[in-house]
Amino acid sequence: MDYGKFKYERQKRESEAKKKQKTIEIKEVKFRPNTDHHDFDVKMRNVMRFLDNGDKVKVTMRFRGREMAHQNLGLAVLDRVAETVGIAGKVEIMPKLEGRQMVMVIGPSRLGLSLK
């Protein structure tokens, strides 16, 4: 068998497998503890769009100054985000504090993708 032909066929198979792959990106949406209702709705529309596209969403709650003393408000907003997402996504990493920001990761759920 011709080695060049073998390499060519192997390269074709690998490129064909690569085409069928779905890469999952991580999109980020940033909130603040005092984010208003309309701004919250706009950001949630983006989160839902990202989840519908099959991407993971990193929800970041940023605290500045005295907001660090009221981390419970930020946690309440993140809980509201998780509740609003519902069955379209599932919380993969629960909210945790990293320095001055609280981070939560939401991934698309199989149930949410089948409802399209």
Side-chain angles (χ1 to χ4, degrees), residues 21-87:
Q21 248 177 336
K22 168 71 173 121
T23 58
I24 296 178
E25 295 181 26
I26 297 182
K27 305 286 188 168
E28 185 174 15
V29 179
K30 295 183 180 181
F31 286 90
R32 294 286 305 279
N34 54 359
T35 301
D36 208 15
H37 296 292
H38 184 290
D39 297 331
F40 180 84
D41 293 341
V42 170
K43 289 175 188 267
M44 283 310 299
R45 262 198 309 266
N46 287 334
V47 168
M48 298 304 280
R49 188 181 74 219
F50 296 151
L51 290 174
D52 287 343
N53 290 338
D55 297 325
K56 291 185 179 186
V57 180
K58 178 180 177 183
V59 181
T60 304
M61 174 68 57
R62 176 162 285 163
F63 297 102
R64 293 176 58 190
R66 293 183 185 174
E67 292 173 351
M68 283 299 289
H70 303 286
Q71 294 173 10
N72 55 348
L73 296 176
L75 189 58
V77 172
L78 290 179
D79 288 341
R80 190 168 146 215
V81 168
E83 181 181 312
T84 306
V85 165
I87 62 169

